């Protein structure tokens, strides 16, 4: 067992850490306040090869391992965990799907995404189905050489800025997950409209709903086989959930480092705060838990790099990482005293942003269901009892 990063990984880690420190962190709060998606910065990420790290080289990516992409996600998130949700979670899911597309699809959509020129969104959730995603109602009816798309996708990360979307719709009625197909859809087609949400956090990557009213899309926009969409989405989640967890842990770790520095400096009752165990022990507990989950994230990515399943590990980290991270950041706010509650520090924003990660890509409950299924088998899942 070797926990050492190789030479290339150390180089990438240093480069991305510098980028996050200099180009993301100073603007993290400004983009949130102004609700601005920093397109120029994303273009720069594309130029530097930070997008599509694990996408095959033949498809225009770097062809690096999932572990290396995890390092990139973690480092970027030290500067801005919100933007990374769009570029490296929705982005990762969409790039993975586009790799199943035709040569034309790759040229038209994957290439501009990897170059940071176009923003993408992953559209699975609907007003009536989130956790029970296979119950989705949007339809794509075949009509000659086209499909006619109808329905609403809700809660979608960065949808207001997205140039195109990967959309899951039912191509066969009454067949559950097996009747779901995936399509790549430009957002400027006639019949497409959007509506923004007012969110608690992640305000730079504005979430919202996208509506499709008799939208005609060429059959060439089908991704993979007809009916294979749901399986492709679930395969993507096995990895994107781990990236998302590293994105939760990174701002929590930065907050803990800042808080450790603060409590070593701040004097109360004639002593540094750090010398009170009521102050130091919670910090010790948060760092211990987060370091353990962080290692499990990398183990899960390592398993995927070896071609093995990471479903159980992805479920485990998905319920733990965002929960432990929000707990840690909340204590960091309290340990900063009244200053911690101001908007002068990024702590409150990190808390709002990381809370989103508890829900996005699956709640703690569904994550535990995944782990339960892996440990006990399908027969004991509560949703097998529905009528
Ligand atoms: C910040 C953010 C970003 C998002 N980005 C995207 C995106 O880009 N694309 C996309 O498609 N979706 C996105 N979503 C939607 C997200 O995936 C769903 O919100 C999530 O899967 C939960 O679905 P729901 O909101 O319909 O809740 P519901 O499914 O209605 O669940 C409500 C509550 O009931 C619990 N619950 C449901 N079923 C069970 C069960 N069987 N056992 C125990 N508890 C259960 C859930 O855990 C939850 O707490 C995003 C959401 C957020 C908050």
């Amino acid at each position: 067992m070797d926990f050492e990063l190789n030479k290339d990984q150390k180089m990438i880690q240093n480069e991305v850490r510098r980028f996050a420190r200099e180009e993301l962190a100073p603007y993290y709060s400004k983009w949130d306040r102004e609700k601005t998606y920093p397109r120029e910065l994303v273009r720069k990420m594309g130029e530097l090869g930070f997008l599509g790290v694990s996408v095959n080289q033949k498809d225009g990516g770097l062809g690096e391992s999932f572990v290396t992409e995890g390092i990139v996600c973690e480092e970027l998130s030290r500067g801005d965990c919100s933007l990374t949700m769009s570029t490296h979670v929705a982005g990762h899911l969409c790039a993975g799907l586009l790799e199943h597309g035709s040569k034309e699809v790759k040229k038209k959509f994957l290439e501009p995404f990897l170059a940071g020129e176009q923003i993408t969104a992953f559209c699975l959730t609907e007003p009536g189905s989130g956790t029970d995603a296979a119950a989705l109602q949007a339809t794509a009816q075949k009509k000659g050489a086209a499909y006619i798309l109808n329905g609403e996708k809700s809660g979608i990360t960065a949808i207001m800025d997205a140039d195109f979307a990967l959309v899951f719709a039912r191509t066969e009625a009454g067949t559950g997950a097996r009747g779901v197909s995936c399509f790549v859809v430009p957002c400027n087609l006639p019949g497409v409209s959007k509506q923004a949400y007012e969110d608690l956090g992640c305000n730079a990557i504005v979430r919202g709903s996208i509506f499709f009213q008799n939208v005609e899309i060429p059959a060439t926009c089908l991704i993979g086989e007809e009916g294979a969409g749901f399986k492709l989405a679930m395969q993507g989640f096995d990895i994107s959930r781990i990236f998302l967890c590293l994105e939760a842990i990174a701002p929590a770790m930065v907050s803990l480092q800042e808080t450790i520095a603060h409590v070593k400096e701040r004097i109360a009752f004639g002593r540094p705060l750090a010398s009170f165990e009521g102050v130091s022990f919670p910090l010790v507990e948060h760092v211990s838990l987060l370091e353990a989950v962080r290692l499990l994230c990398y183990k899960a990515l390592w398993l995927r790099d070896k071609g093995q399943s990471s479903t159980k590990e992805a479920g485990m980290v998905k319920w733990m990482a965002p929960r432990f991270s929000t707990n840690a950041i909340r204590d960091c706010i309290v340990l900063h005293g009244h200053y911690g509650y101001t908007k002068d520090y990024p702590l409150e924003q990190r808390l709002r942003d990381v809370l989103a990660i508890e829900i996005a890509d699956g709640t703690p409950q569904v994550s535990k269901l995944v782990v339960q299924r892996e440990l006990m088998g399908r027969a004991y899942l509560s949703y097998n009892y529905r009528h």
Side-chain angles (χ1 to χ4, degrees), residues 273-283 335:
L273 287 179
S275 66
F276 295 105
E277 285 164 358
V279 169
S280 60
F281 280 10
L283 294 170
L335 289 175

Side-chain angles (χ1 to χ4, degrees), residues 122-125 130-131 155-157 207 356 359-361 363 365 369:
F122 176 86
C123 302
L124 179 64
T125 305
T131 306
I156 310 299
T157 295
R207 242 168 24 110
I359 305 169
D361 262 25
T363 60
Q365 286 88 341
L369 284 175

Side-chain angles (χ1 to χ4, degrees), residues 287-308:
V287 174
S288 308
L289 287 172
L290 288 172
E291 191 56 39
V293 183
R294 180 176 173 271
L295 287 176
L296 188 53
C297 289
Y298 280 111
K299 182 192 169 191
L301 294 173
W302 173 83
L303 282 170
R304 289 308 298 240
D305 283 329
K306 297 236 165 274
Q308 294 175 36

